Amino acid sequence: MASIRKRNNRWEVRVRRRGYPTQTKTFTHKSSAQIWAKETELDLETAHLKSAPFTKSPTLASAVERYLSETIVRHKGARSAVYRLRRITEELGGDRSIAEITELDISAYRNKRLSLVTAGSVRRELVLISGLFQTARNEWGLRGLRNPVGGIKMPPDSPSRSRRLNPCEKELLITESKGVPHLHLAIQLALQTGMRQGEILKLFYADLDFDRHLILVKDTKNGDDRIIPITGGIAPSLLQHHAKITTSSKHELHVAHAIC
């Protein structure tokens, strides 16, 4: 059914049909709006639009696997996202049609998870679910699909953290990790350079310039490379470990091998 109204000196048309998204367009002249409305209604009637009705929606499990392989695989946090989405699939029911997932399902999931983990963790999980539904709508042709996350209240994000290790805690952490050399090296890097865990795990020895005492950190959280100085405290540990392991001619052995 089409509705036409004048808004801000232009004619706005809305065409609705059950199982399909609302089609909207604005025109300068009312006659053009009326012609477009009739053509759009005919397209919906004959199913010429590319929108897919709910009955053709995939199962939640198959939708999640496609989302993981086509979209999430390009994200920096892909590993944790895979784990979260597959667990969410088990909770909501992987054999259900994705179109059957409602706001009630999502709110029940949210409330259950809030009793187990922090609000920030639940929020990140709901963002993943929302991304799945938006991708299905915008990129897979499921135009009639409703995003159930949009109809519920999101938990508040985790408050910013400002706490730092005090000197006693730092000393205890360093001392206790000496029995695990690889972990000890990673902790030293984190404490003395401020590098994130993911940055340390992706570090290659080719990224370390021992002559100039610099570390090239690639593919950071914001996407930019950055240079970090190798302080006097960590340099001997890196050199000692570097001397113990076998490297290629280009010295491209992954430093993560020393940590994992």
Side-chain angles (χ1 to χ4, degrees):
M1 179 178 179
S3 62
I4 302 176
R5 64 172 181 173
K6 193 172 185 179
R7 187 176 184 180
N8 297 328
N9 296 321
R10 291 178 64 82
W11 294 93
E12 182 184 84
V13 187
R14 290 180 177 269
V15 181
R16 297 181 176 88
R17 184 178 179 84
R18 191 171 186 176
Y20 294 88
T22 300
Q23 307 295 314
T24 305
K25 196 169 183 179
T26 58
F27 298 87
T28 303
H29 303 290
K30 185 176 182 180
S31 59
S32 299
Q34 292 171 328
I35 293 172
W36 183 84
K38 291 180 180 179
E39 291 176 346
T40 303
E41 284 182 315
L42 180 61
D43 284 337
L44 287 170
E45 184 67 30
T46 57
H48 283 172
L49 290 182
K50 294 182 179 179
S51 305
F54 287 166
T55 55
K56 294 183 180 179
S57 297
T59 64
L60 178 61
S62 62
V64 165
E65 291 305 315
R66 179 177 176 181
Y67 184 55
L68 290 175
S69 63
E70 295 182 1
T71 304
I72 293 298
V73 70
R74 300 192 297 269
H75 292 186
K76 292 183 183 299
R79 180 180 296 182
S80 62
V82 168
Y83 169 77
R84 285 173 174 163
L85 279 172
R86 286 180 176 161
R87 183 174 47 74
I88 291 168
T89 302
E90 293 179 2
E91 290 281 344
L92 297 178
D95 58 347
R96 299 172 63 187
S97 166
I98 190 174
E100 295 177 7
I101 308 300
T102 67
E103 286 87 349
L104 290 176
D105 295 313
I106 301 299
S107 62
Y109 174 82
R110 175 201 61 197
N111 295 339
K112 179 180 179 180
R113 292 293 290 161
L114 283 172
S115 67
L116 301 172
V117 298
T118 65
S121 295
V122 178
R123 185 182 182 89
R124 286 188 287 273
E125 292 173 0
L126 294 180
V127 168
L128 281 174
I129 302 173
S130 180
L132 166 65
F133 278 84
Q134 288 301 113
T135 299
R137 278 176 51 88
N138 299 336
E139 299 184 21
W140 300 350
L142 300 178
R143 295 294 185 183
L145 186 66
R146 179 181 176 84
N147 185 348
V149 181
I152 70 165
K153 184 177 180 180
M154 294 285 282
D157 203 358
S158 299
S160 59
R161 293 173 289 182
S162 58
R163 186 183 182 279
R164 296 292 185 268
L165 293 176
N166 61 46
C168 291
E169 290 171 327
K170 285 184 180 180
E171 184 63 30
L172 181 62
L173 184 61
I174 292 171
T175 301
E176 292 297 322
S177 66
K178 285 183 177 178
V180 187
H182 299 162
L183 177 62
H184 184 64
L185 178 63
I187 290 174
Q188 286 183 297
L189 273 170
L191 290 175
Q192 297 193 36
T193 67
M195 293 174 64
R196 299 182 178 92
Q197 175 182 312
E199 294 171 344
I200 294 174
L201 292 174
K202 291 186 292 185
L203 191 62
F204 285 77
Y205 271 110
D207 301 326
L208 276 58
D209 186 337
F210 290 106
D211 294 331
R212 295 188 296 170
H213 291 268
L214 297 175
I215 301 174
L216 173 61
V217 183
K218 301 177 181 178
D219 193 24
T220 62
K221 187 175 181 179
N222 63 10
D224 298 326
D225 295 347
R226 73 175 190 274
I227 301 295
I228 296 177
I230 300 177
T231 63
I234 190 63
S237 297
L238 287 170
L239 285 168
Q240 183 180 16
H241 179 266
H242 193 206
K244 287 181 178 179
I245 61 177
T246 303
T247 63
S248 68
S249 60
K250 294 183 179 180
H251 302 285
E252 292 181 343
L253 184 64
H254 205 304
V255 174
H257 292 168
I259 300 168
C260 299

